[in-house]
Amino acid sequence: MKILLKMFLIISIATTSHLAFSDGHKSKKGPELEYFGTLSYSDITRMNGYKGNFIADIPSGTLTLANGDKGKVASPCADYGNMQKERTIALDVRCSVTMEDGSELYIIYGGKMIMDEKSDKLNEEGKLLTPKNGLDYWIAAPLIRTTSEKYDYMNYIQLIGKGKKAIMAPPISVTYELFKVVYSK
């Protein structure tokens, strides 16, 4: 009887675990990312510094789309950031961009920039930080708003920004690679 119960238990577990994965969730994938362009800021200055919060003025930069369209950072543009703990910055960027055809874009995003232990020395020397060489994690989630007919599609997409490079000693500059989140059914 014990052997029969053990066999029944083993068969039940095998059947149940098989059914748990029968909907194929093992093979389901998340959304895909499609290259969208590059966003770079330069000459970033700290206008106001508070205990953990800061406002960094972003006077110049460029947006280059994958299709070759280009824009320049326009005023207002700033990061209303927060130093959360050592080497960790919570980003809160709000920025205007004027495209070559005169279209205005408004980019807003939050994100996290976490520098690694190499960042202190690189920052002191004014050197470039890159992923795994000063930057441990740097991701943002930009949204773009516009009244432009040409760029209206941007009102309906979500972007992910992957930090590519940064110089954190004045003059501060940063570059993101932007990816469009592609929703798949």
Side-chain angles (χ1 to χ4, degrees):
M1 185 69 158
K2 286 184 181 183
I3 294 176
L4 190 58
L5 284 173
K6 285 182 183 181
M7 286 177 48
F8 177 74
L9 182 62
I10 291 170
I11 291 171
S12 296
I13 291 171
T15 304
T16 305
S17 63
H18 172 72
L19 291 174
F21 296 106
S22 65
D23 71 349
H25 80 271
K26 271 186 168 181
S27 63
K28 285 186 182 177
K29 296 180 182 178
E32 294 181 17
L33 299 177
E34 177 182 295
Y35 181 73
F36 186 79
T38 303
L39 178 61
S40 296
Y41 301 121
S42 56
D43 301 321
I44 300 169
T45 57
R46 293 186 192 260
M47 299 281 294
N48 299 308
Y50 306 100
K51 288 186 181 180
N53 299 311
F54 63 85
I55 301 172
D57 185 38
I58 305 172
S60 60
T62 58
L63 172 64
T64 305
L65 302 180
N67 68 6
D69 289 358
K70 294 181 181 178
K72 291 190 177 197
V73 166
S75 184
C77 187
D79 182 358
Y80 301 86
N82 175 268
M83 297 295 291
Q84 293 189 316
K85 63 179 186 176
E86 186 178 15
R87 299 188 195 101
T88 301
I89 301 172
L91 305 167
D92 180 7
V93 177
R94 300 155 196 230
C95 196
S96 299
V97 173
T98 304
M99 300 303 286
E100 290 175 318
D101 70 351
S103 296
E104 295 288 333
L105 308 179
Y106 180 58
I107 301 173
I108 55 175
Y109 61 89
K112 293 284 185 193
M113 177 188 231
I114 303 172
M115 293 171 265
D116 65 25
E117 64 283 343
K118 297 176 195 172
S119 66
D120 292 338
K121 185 170 191 230
L122 293 169
N123 288 337
E124 285 174 18
E125 297 172 354
K127 292 190 176 174
L128 187 68
L129 281 70
T130 57
K132 304 304 175 205
N133 187 41
L135 297 171
D136 188 45
Y137 181 87
W138 183 16
I139 297 292
L143 291 171
I144 299 177
R145 298 295 173 249
T146 185
T147 57
S148 164
E149 286 185 35
K150 179 178 181 180
Y151 298 111
D152 182 62
Y153 70 94
M154 293 183 185
N155 289 311
Y156 306 99
I157 62 171
Q158 175 67 58
L159 299 174
I160 297 296
K162 178 182 177 187
K164 186 175 179 180
K165 59 184 178 178
I167 295 177
M168 300 302 285
I172 299 169
S173 63
V174 299
T175 299
Y176 291 91
E177 288 183 329
L178 300 177
F179 299 89
K180 176 180 147 184
V181 177
V182 180
Y183 182 80
S184 56
K185 295 180 181 183

